[in-house]
Amino acid sequence: MAALEAENARLQAEIDRLGRTLTDVSERIVSGRLTGELPDNFLEQFSQLPDRPLEHVLRFLPALQVAQMRHVSRRFNHVIRKCSKSMPKKGSKGSVVFKSCNAGELTVAWIDDRSIQVAEKKLTGDEVALSELLRFCISGSIYFGEGLSAADKVLDQLSKAWLTIRPEVVVFAGDLSQTSRDSLRAFLVKVEPSIRRLNFQYTRNIDDALLSDDVIGAAGRLDGLMIMPMFLGSKLRDINIGDRTLLAMADADHISSYGSVAGCSSITPSGIRAFVEKWIKKERPKPGRQFSCCRKIQQLYELSFYNCANVTPAAVEEACGDLLKKGTMMAVTRASSVSEPGERNGQQVSFTVLCPSSNRYLHIRFHIAPNPAHIVFEPRPVNFAKDKFVFNDYVNNHEDLDPEMEDDDIDDYDGYDAIDYDDDEDN
Amino acid sequence: MIQLCSNDDPPVSFTVPRKAVELSKTIKTMLEDLEGFDMEQTPIPLPNVDAPTLELIVKWVEQHQDDPPPVEKPRVEDDDSDDSDADDDQEPEVVIPEWDKKFLPTDDEQKNQLFKLLNAANYLEIKPLLDIGCKYVADKISGQTVEWVRDYLNMENDYTPEEEAKLKEEIAWAEGL
């Protein structure tokens, strides 16, 4: 009986649909507004064209409109979703900076790899318009600067499946009081294929429950991790990051990798030992692989611990002693420098482990502020005016650029840079 | 000379220089496959193309037969893409030449003719023609509202109200820019 009713309903729906279509067609005949001639052949209808011309049209549209065009019909939506990956991407390198200098206002600035500001948008109220990123292949950095720049509403939009973002560097340098763990995690999952460095530098209001090994783990393999909250004048809050994150960082493979953490009381000396063991194992030259003896660049892995309750030089030395003293492949130095008054454990200490065969160093440092080299400064456009003196070669190289380009809307900046998929190879 | 036949009943045939007709990759490949046959005498039927459209195609290829061949760029390998037809030969920019601007059926009454032309260019793989045609359509709908585009492209809004509301919520932030 129920089946019959369902069938009846289905048929009724079908009749209604046909009825509507018929009315529609009659209206068109009456008003004659449909191009003067009725379609007598499916192929005359744009909607019946194969996907390819449709995709082609979409490729020529401004990025913003592509997002809106999803409203047109299911077909459009489907094609847009399908081809958003292969859509030509504008600007293969560059930075996107989110800032919220005034409450309720978000500024998005896109700065290309020559430090030229391509576009800036001010978004007020609750509207977060990021659609210009749709076609961006951000293989540079995403910088969440001043204010509530990385609030959930921003991260949620950036995490949308159909946006293509491939940042190598993500920096949270603003206020995370309106950022939830779920949104942050989803965002890190989204950027996982490309991200290499993740910095929380002088970040305000990191909630106790925001960061965890699981959340950081969502970003996959990292070559650099910095967790350095802002704690001017106040007690450093405990950050719930432990040995698991640390151990995962041993997989980093970069000319200058780093892990700088502050206030992570779940990191233990035995965790550091596990890290060192893993690092030594990894750094041991593979058989048959020759390292050039005249290699000039010293490769450095730097671990810094700042106010991590369970990590003291003495405890680490005790836990890793034999590893640090192993004379065969490691040279060990212990450097004690002048103590900083007022610091817990009051001592700046660093251990250095050298792997001579690969010319790689591991530094383990305590109570030392993060190496400035690892702090990512907010990308800022280089200001230059065409009438001004040429100060240096850098400016000189770019004086042929259209000076108006800075102010141009992105939509006019319709370059068709090839997509850089290199990052996918080492997933 | 090569003869092309439209899908009309009776078919309308056009005689086109081989050089011009080879702007269509589809026909070029076919002619290469049939090397040895006397193609001068065998009309090629084009089941997807009607006479008015074929006439336009013939006009276009004859005009452009002496164009320098487009520079082949190395393909960008898209390893995580699942669609096989992703054709990523990306020109830096498509500019519609003056002659083509006049050539394209751009009056609103000829809209369907334009779409038929796009379909034929796609089917015959005449990429430069497809490029300028699609560029024209894109320029036309650029900056227009969703309703206008639907109307212009004769597309039906086939979303249910619920789906539409959900979609609207999802991309609400894209508007107001």
Side-chain angles (χ1 to χ4, degrees):
Chain A
M1 191 60 197
L4 266 177
E5 273 172 11
E7 177 68 0
N8 192 30
R10 193 189 64 76
L11 284 172
Q12 191 56 49
E14 181 76 350
I15 289 164
D16 287 347
R17 197 183 64 80
L18 286 172
R20 276 200 306 274
T21 312
L22 191 64
T23 321
D24 192 34
V25 170
S26 323
E27 272 171 18
R28 283 171 177 184
I29 293 168
V30 173
S31 67
R33 62 188 254 277
L34 183 93
T35 72
E37 58 170 320
L38 269 179
D40 53 1
N41 181 338
F42 267 149
L43 288 174
E44 298 178 22
Q45 293 279 344
F46 185 85
S47 53
Q48 301 298 328
L49 281 175
D51 280 359
R52 196 160 148 251
L54 192 50
E55 274 180 43
H56 222 68
V57 167
L58 291 169
R59 272 163 210 265
F60 290 123
L61 280 182
L64 159 68
Q65 208 181 354
V66 175
Q68 286 176 337
M69 286 300 111
R70 296 178 64 208
H71 270 308
V72 170
S73 71
R74 285 164 194 261
R75 173 86 191 289
F76 256 69
N77 194 9
H78 170 78
V79 172
I80 289 168
R81 275 169 178 275
K82 190 185 123 195
C83 68
S84 74
K85 256 190 199 168
S86 63
M87 275 277 191
K89 302 297 190 291
K90 294 189 275 194
S92 56
K93 286 264 178 191
S95 312
V96 171
V97 182
F98 295 91
K99 269 193 286 190
S100 179
C101 303
N102 304 314
E105 189 181 273
L106 183 74
T107 312
V108 185
W110 163 265
I111 295 159
D112 76 3
D113 58 338
R114 294 167 306 193
S115 298
I116 292 166
Q117 184 160 319
V118 177
E120 188 182 72
K121 291 274 178 212
K122 261 204 172 61
L123 314 156
T124 47
D126 281 339
E127 267 185 311
V128 183
L130 309 173
S131 57
E132 61 254 66
L133 301 181
L134 175 67
R135 285 197 197 165
F136 280 159
C137 185
I138 305 168
S139 55
S141 60
I142 295 186
Y143 193 99
F144 296 97
E146 206 175 321
L148 295 161
S149 54
D152 277 1
K153 58 181 182 182
V154 180
L155 293 184
D156 289 351
Q157 302 302 350
L158 286 169
S159 304
K160 295 279 185 231
W162 50 281
L163 266 170
T164 308
I165 50 172
R166 300 166 185 277
E168 285 163 8
V169 180
V170 174
V171 178
F172 292 92
D175 183 339
L176 293 186
S177 60
Q178 287 187 25
T179 307
S180 74
R181 181 183 177 139
D182 286 347
S183 294
L184 179 63
R185 193 177 187 284
F187 174 74
L188 292 176
V189 166
K190 167 88 180 174
V191 298
E192 183 270 324
S194 62
I195 189 171
R196 292 289 168 265
R197 292 167 67 189
L198 174 62
N199 283 11
F200 294 87
Q201 51 188 46
Y202 305 112
T203 319
R204 290 168 190 274
N205 296 322
I206 297 183
D207 188 73
D208 289 345
L210 182 64
L211 295 181
S212 69
D213 287 336
D214 177 57
V215 169
I216 300 297
R221 205 200 78 182
L222 292 169
D223 291 333
L225 173 67
M226 185 188 291
I227 297 171
M228 193 56 62
M230 178 74 98
F231 56 101
L232 268 181
S234 57
K235 192 177 164 282
L236 177 60
R237 287 166 91 173
D238 191 40
I239 305 268
N240 189 23
I241 298 280
D243 292 340
R244 211 180 104 198
T245 298
L246 183 68
L247 199 59
M249 287 299 294
D251 289 328
D253 185 18
H254 193 268
I255 206 148
S256 101
S257 304
Y258 61 90
S260 295
V261 294
C264 301
S265 56
S266 312
I267 290 180
T268 63
S270 59
I272 294 176
R273 185 191 165 93
F275 174 90
V276 175
E277 278 174 347
K278 198 171 166 188
W279 184 82
I280 289 174
K281 212 169 163 184
K282 192 165 115 58
E283 295 307 313
R284 186 166 287 150
K286 290 160 192 82
R289 201 170 143 197
Q290 289 294 312
F291 285 96
S292 164
C293 57
C294 52
R295 198 173 191 162
K296 287 286 187 315
I297 307 161
Q298 203 182 67
Q299 300 190 28
L300 182 67
Y301 196 126
E302 202 170 82
L303 273 188
S304 308
F305 300 99
Y306 195 84
N307 270 347
C308 297
N310 290 312
V311 181
T312 61
V316 172
E317 200 174 7
E318 197 188 324
C320 311
D322 56 322
L323 288 173
L324 298 174
K325 285 183 180 118
K326 223 178 231 173
T328 44
M329 64 179 283
M330 302 297 157
V332 182
T333 60
R334 182 187 155 151
S336 288
S337 57
V338 195
S339 59
E340 274 184 289
E343 295 289 349
R344 221 173 348 151
N345 303 320
Q347 226 178 7
Q348 287 193 337
V349 179
S350 87
F351 296 117
T352 303
V353 184
L354 168 67
C355 180
S357 51
S358 63
N359 205 17
R360 278 166 191 249
Y361 287 88
L362 171 65
H363 276 234
I364 304 177
R365 318 193 317 159
F366 304 89
H367 285 282
I368 297 171
N371 188 333
H374 300 144
I375 291 178
V376 179
F377 292 101
E378 182 184 315
R380 287 177 196 278
V382 173
N383 291 315
F384 65 90
K386 53 178 176 176
D387 298 332
K388 284 191 182 158
F389 288 108
V390 173
F391 290 108
N392 54 36
D393 286 339
Y394 177 83
V395 175
N396 202 15
N397 286 341
H398 296 102
E399 65 177 355
D400 54 338
L401 276 166
D402 185 353
E404 282 176 22
M405 192 188 272
E406 284 184 77
D407 313 316
D408 269 359
D409 193 14
I410 286 175
D411 296 350
D412 300 327
Y413 187 73
D414 212 37
Y416 275 79
D417 288 1
I419 308 164
D420 181 9
Y421 281 103
D422 287 351
D423 287 333
D424 288 349
E425 281 165 20
D426 33 25
N427 279 352
Chain B
M1 299 299 263
I2 303 288
Q3 286 180 58
L4 302 175
C5 285
S6 75
N7 66 355
D8 302 78
D9 189 23
V12 183
S13 83
F14 294 84
T15 309
V16 196
R18 177 159 179 155
K19 189 179 172 192
V21 96
E22 283 190 343
L23 284 175
S24 154
K25 260 192 198 160
T26 308
I27 298 182
K28 189 170 185 240
T29 314
M30 188 163 90
L31 290 175
E32 281 163 2
D33 290 346
L34 295 170
E35 204 66 63
F37 291 88
D38 185 5
M39 292 311 289
E40 307 266 315
Q41 303 305 319
T42 324
I44 301 174
L46 301 174
N48 277 349
V49 189
D50 64 11
T53 309
L54 188 54
E55 192 183 343
L56 284 171
I57 295 276
V58 167
K59 244 167 109 180
W60 191 88
V61 293
E62 285 183 338
Q63 171 70 22
H64 290 274
Q65 57 181 310
D66 294 320
D67 287 5
V71 189
E72 290 286 330
K73 278 195 198 161
R75 257 186 94 98
V76 183
E77 284 306 325
D78 190 1
D79 51 344
D80 58 355
S81 167
D82 47 358
D83 42 358
S84 53
D85 59 345
D87 189 44
D88 281 331
D89 297 342
Q90 291 157 14
E91 271 81 6
E93 205 176 322
V94 169
V95 181
I96 309 179
E98 278 306 311
W99 187 91
D100 297 65
K101 263 184 206 156
K102 293 198 190 91
F103 160 81
L104 284 175
T106 50
D107 289 351
D108 274 359
E109 294 75 49
Q110 293 175 296
K111 199 164 66 179
N112 282 348
Q113 183 58 64
L114 178 66
F115 300 153
K116 282 198 274 186
L117 187 67
L118 289 186
N119 187 51
N122 180 51
Y123 161 71
L124 293 170
E125 284 189 60
I126 311 175
K127 187 152 186 305
L129 179 56
L130 187 64
D131 278 347
I132 59 152
C134 290
K135 171 81 172 134
Y136 174 81
V137 175
D139 288 349
K140 187 92 182 165
I141 63 179
S142 175
Q144 300 289 354
T145 62
V146 171
E147 288 72 26
W148 192 94
V149 172
R150 243 184 232 141
D151 189 53
Y152 176 71
L153 300 178
N154 302 335
M155 294 193 111
E156 196 189 332
N157 179 10
D158 51 3
Y159 286 114
T160 64
E162 295 79 39
E163 283 174 328
E164 202 163 9
K166 197 168 165 246
L167 189 69
K168 196 152 195 152
E169 193 184 317
E170 193 182 327
I171 63 174
W173 50 272
E175 283 158 25
L177 235 173

